[in-house]
Amino acid sequence: MKDDLLVRQAGRREMLRDCATFVGGAVLAQLFPGALNAAVRGALRGGAAAFAAQGTAPAADPLASIRAQIGAMPIQTQKLGENLSLLSGPGGNVVVLNGADGKVMVDTFLSPAWPRLKETLDGIGSAPVKTVIDTHWHFDHTENNAPLHAAGATVLAHENTKKRMSEAHDLPVFGLHFEPSPAEALPQETFASSKRLKANGENLALQHFAPAHTDTDIYILFEKANVIHMGDTFFNGIYPYIDSSTGGKISGMIAAADKILGLASADTKIVPGHGPLGNKEDLTKFRAMLVTARDRVQKLKSAGKSWQETVAEKPLADLDAAWGKGMLGSDQFVQVVYLAL
């Protein structure tokens, strides 16, 4: 029994390693369209195998190049309510609640965006940032935790976010390595299931999802404004990335959509981790796509097909026109789903 388990684990490691060659950093290259130059796109798409075939070496630090290019994207501001703003651009979508009690901020962009982020925050209002909430552990949502904490903010997140940020990670589908986050970037306050906050005349409800995009995901409901930030459990109008290396499950993504659909009304503004501001109709369409993808890929995987054979079947090709424009094509998303079943 123990030997069988080791064989299965070794096989999964080999499959994950192969994924890096197939998908490489195409996920990141397409996650922020136009943000990465041709050299970085080529490095990420090809992975180590492509470089070996060409007799060339990969860039010394492709992650630094990704940070620099995506982090340089302009910050766009959209009003969600009287004292609530959506910031988008150099990383996952950010929401800022402004007021005399101090700003409450959900997610923090990539580190190179810090000077422009600070300028944008100062332009929203003079109150300092009092609380930062991380929707999950990924770098494009947490990298400005440290300067915000240094300026006086308390970083709040699910307990798994602190755990994941404290560890080194290899993300096989990206073909990237992440060192542990510095101590000053880690959440200072964590919770296990749920948390409630009151600030600036608003009531905030924070709730942990079962493993979905990762095992660290939470949503934030701004009750009076009728706004919900779903983090990366929702990618509006594009195929999502699901990080199976840190617990992500497509069944959990579907369950997360079900949870929010049960809370939302037709007027609820639903903030995705990536993509434009959404609503209940957008999330309903996203959920339907996830169910279709799960069922089709599961059928092939259950029939004993490898990930390569499953991709070759083109089970999601008919969805590309609607979902393949902003991030992954169906071949790449099949790979992601296969790992996340």
Side-chain angles (χ1 to χ4, degrees), residues 144-157:
N144 285 304
N145 283 5
L148 286 160
H149 176 55
T154 297
V155 180
L156 171 65

Side-chain angles (χ1 to χ4, degrees), residues 7-274:
V7 169
R8 289 197 300 271
Q9 289 174 336
R12 178 171 174 81
R13 284 195 298 271
E14 182 178 357
M15 180 177 70
L16 289 170
R17 185 172 62 249
D18 289 345
C19 290
T21 301
F22 177 71
V23 179
V27 177
L28 289 177
Q30 297 177 61
L31 182 56
F32 300 94
L36 303 183
N37 66 28
V40 175
R41 282 175 180 268
L44 291 170
R45 283 199 186 97
F51 285 109
Q54 296 170 12
T56 56
D61 192 351
L63 187 56
S65 297
I66 293 166
R67 283 190 173 107
Q69 292 182 62
I70 297 175
M73 293 181 70
I75 296 174
Q76 298 177 334
T77 303
Q78 180 178 353
K79 293 290 288 184
L80 300 179
E82 183 178 353
N83 61 344
L84 203 61
S85 300
L86 169 62
L87 310 182
S88 58
N93 287 327
V94 170
V95 169
V96 180
L97 174 67
N98 183 49
D101 295 335
K103 295 185 183 76
V104 178
M105 182 176 177
V106 180
D107 287 345
T108 69
F109 288 148
L110 285 159
S111 55
W114 171 243
R116 286 171 293 112
L117 176 58
K118 184 179 185 303
E119 181 180 354
T120 302
L121 291 171
D122 290 344
I124 289 174
S126 59
V129 177
K130 182 179 179 180
T131 303
V132 170
I133 302 169
D134 292 335
T135 59
H136 63 292
W137 80 269
H138 280 155
F139 74 124
D140 57 318
H141 297 257
T142 61
E143 281 201 341
N144 285 304
N145 283 5
L148 286 160
H149 176 55
T154 297
V155 180
L156 171 65
H158 187 263
E159 59 190 14
N160 287 351
T161 294
K162 184 173 185 177
K163 176 179 180 292
R164 293 298 190 184
M165 290 179 68
S166 301
E167 302 168 340
H169 292 281
D170 290 299
L171 299 189
V173 174
F174 286 163
L176 295 174
H177 175 77
F178 293 84
E179 290 296 326
S181 297
E184 56 270 23
L186 300 178
Q188 291 84 51
E189 184 178 348
T190 63
F191 62 94
S193 179
S194 62
K195 179 83 175 177
R196 294 191 66 87
L197 301 174
K198 290 187 177 183
N200 303 318
E202 181 61 88
N203 299 319
L204 288 74
L206 287 60
Q207 181 70 48
H208 181 233
F209 287 118
H213 173 67
T214 67
D215 62 9
T216 70
D217 305 303
I218 65 171
Y219 70 84
I220 300 92
L221 167 62
F222 297 85
E223 292 179 343
K224 293 185 178 180
N226 195 18
V227 171
I228 302 173
H229 196 320
M230 289 184 64
D232 279 4
T233 63
F234 179 30
F235 283 56
N236 191 13
I238 56 178
Y239 290 127
Y241 174 62
I242 305 170
D243 184 3
S244 57
S245 73
T246 54
K249 300 288 184 182
I250 191 167
S251 59
M253 293 285 284
I254 295 166
D258 287 338
K259 175 67 175 179
I260 302 305
L261 288 171
L263 294 175
S265 68
D267 298 325
T268 303
K269 297 173 181 176
I270 304 177
V271 178
H274 299 276

